[in-house]
Amino acid sequence: MATSLAGKTAIVTGAGSGINLAFARLLLAKKCNVVFADLALRPEAKEVVDAHSSFSRSPARAVFQETNVRDWSQLERMFHTASKEFGGADIVCPGVGIYEPPFSSFWHPPGSSASKDPPSSSRYASIDINLTHPIRTTQLAIAHFLSRRRSSPSAFSSSTSQPVNHVIHISSIAAQVSPLLAPLYNATKHGISGFVRTMAPMDNPTHGIRVTAVAPGVIDTPLWRDNPEKLRLVDESNDEWVSAEEVAEVMGSLVDGREEVEVVSTTAGRADGREGTRKVKVEGGLILEVSKSRVRKVEQFNDEGPKGAGNTVSKLDIVNNEIMEMLSSGSWGQGE
């Protein structure tokens, strides 16, 4: 049975748009305060924050904290803001991510005209944003949660079997199905899934920190819609989008204290040929794949992999052929 999120507080990076905005909206609807940590807010996100300001009559509040997730001091500031405005954070979602844009792409190496990764920096922005930031934010979240426990031990009883605090990550089906288009993105999402599984033992009565993740398919967000280079790979007449709200609902089920969630069963079918369902325990290390009207537990071993609507785009061969032609030119990776 789910517990109430009313009166709790979440920090959500990337809440200015997409999945993270949908998750922030869901939390606010459940009377959970939200720190919107992002570089900027899209108009629809600003509208949400304004509607939940300190001057509104909303039962939950939202505050915007300008945050560049590549700057660790700004990640620390998110937690200071949560403490100042709401007394601390109970839920943390280091959700912001980028889908291998030309400015930080394996296929546009540092030193090329499209890349903004200076060779002298010895860094990829894509990895800093998609992998390093979630790992560092989890470190900060654990320290924050444990500090709150030490300062108010009576408020964090170890007698309950439910965790008090949550860190929820956004992995991807790219952690299993890895197209040539986005090597850095694929690598970071493999990293996120492995990292989440590593954190599973934190879900215990003493520490009470549950680290989980969702692994979305092809989601109808600005990450795709505002990127013509990616959008051209989608066949609108054949491919199906997954909505950001569908993903947010699953994320909510991982942080609201319920003991089980319903997922598709890969072994038990129904007489009518449709997939059966089963209940899985919500616990640290759990990763749930979210495709079109389908939620599936991603197993650590012998997993069947993503399948079904909302898990692929039809025109990947376009970019695969372009990459092969580029590599055949004889000058790739030599600078410009």
Side-chain angles (χ1 to χ4, degrees), residues 76-325:
E76 292 178 15
R77 193 169 61 190
M78 303 184 307
F79 290 89
H80 296 323
T81 298
S83 295
K84 177 183 176 183
E85 296 287 341
F86 306 113
D90 307 284
I91 300 164
V92 175
C93 173
V96 69
I98 55 176
Y99 188 35
E100 197 127 354
F103 69 78
S104 185
S105 166
F106 182 86
W107 300 116
H108 297 282
S112 65
S113 59
S115 177
K116 293 184 180 179
D117 291 329
S120 60
S121 73
S122 302
R123 309 187 70 85
Y124 293 107
S126 286
I127 294 177
D128 284 346
I129 294 168
N130 290 357
L131 184 60
T132 305
H133 131 256
I135 290 174
R136 178 57 180 151
T137 300
T138 303
Q139 282 183 320
L140 294 169
I142 291 173
H144 177 79
F145 296 152
L146 295 180
S147 175
R148 293 185 72 201
R149 276 178 172 264
R150 287 191 294 269
S151 62
S152 301
S154 61
F156 300 93
S157 171
S158 61
S159 61
T160 175
S161 62
Q162 291 296 328
V164 177
N165 301 120
H166 297 265
V167 182
I168 180 162
H169 290 264
I170 300 180
S171 184
S172 170
I173 60 169
Q176 294 182 285
V177 179
S178 304
L180 186 63
L181 164 69
L184 298 182
Y185 181 81
N186 301 337
T188 61
K189 295 307 181 179
H190 276 78
I192 289 295
S193 290
F195 177 70
V196 167
R197 296 191 192 281
T198 301
M199 292 289 106
M202 296 299 296
D203 188 351
N204 63 69
T206 300
H207 300 103
I209 300 171
R210 178 172 290 170
V211 183
T212 57
V214 290
V218 184
I219 313 301
D220 191 356
T221 68
L223 198 71
W224 281 89
R225 292 290 187 184
D226 291 356
N227 191 332
E229 284 297 304
K230 303 296 190 299
L231 191 59
R232 68 194 176 114
L233 306 178
V234 179
D235 182 349
E236 294 280 4
S237 65
N238 184 53
D239 300 330
E240 292 197 53
W241 295 100
V242 182
S243 73
E245 288 72 24
E246 287 180 85
V247 182
E249 285 289 341
V250 177
M251 295 170 72
S253 73
L254 291 174
V255 301
D256 65 6
R258 69 185 68 189
E259 295 182 0
E260 295 179 321
V261 292
E262 188 172 77
V263 301
V264 299
S265 173
T266 59
T267 57
R270 295 173 20 154
D272 59 8
R274 296 168 59 189
E275 288 182 310
T277 61
R278 64 187 176 108
K279 299 283 189 178
V280 297
K281 182 180 179 182
V282 179
E283 59 186 345
L286 178 64
I287 301 172
L288 295 180
E289 175 188 297
V290 187
S291 52
K292 188 64 178 176
S293 304
R294 188 176 189 265
V295 179
R296 184 182 71 86
K297 180 183 178 182
V298 181
E299 302 289 351
Q300 185 168 9
F301 303 108
N302 302 316
D303 188 81
E304 68 168 2
K307 68 176 184 179
N311 271 329
T312 188
V313 292
S314 298
K315 300 180 179 180
L316 281 174
D317 283 346
I318 293 176
V319 72
N320 289 348
N321 292 335
E322 290 175 351
I323 290 170
M324 295 306 173
E325 290 177 8

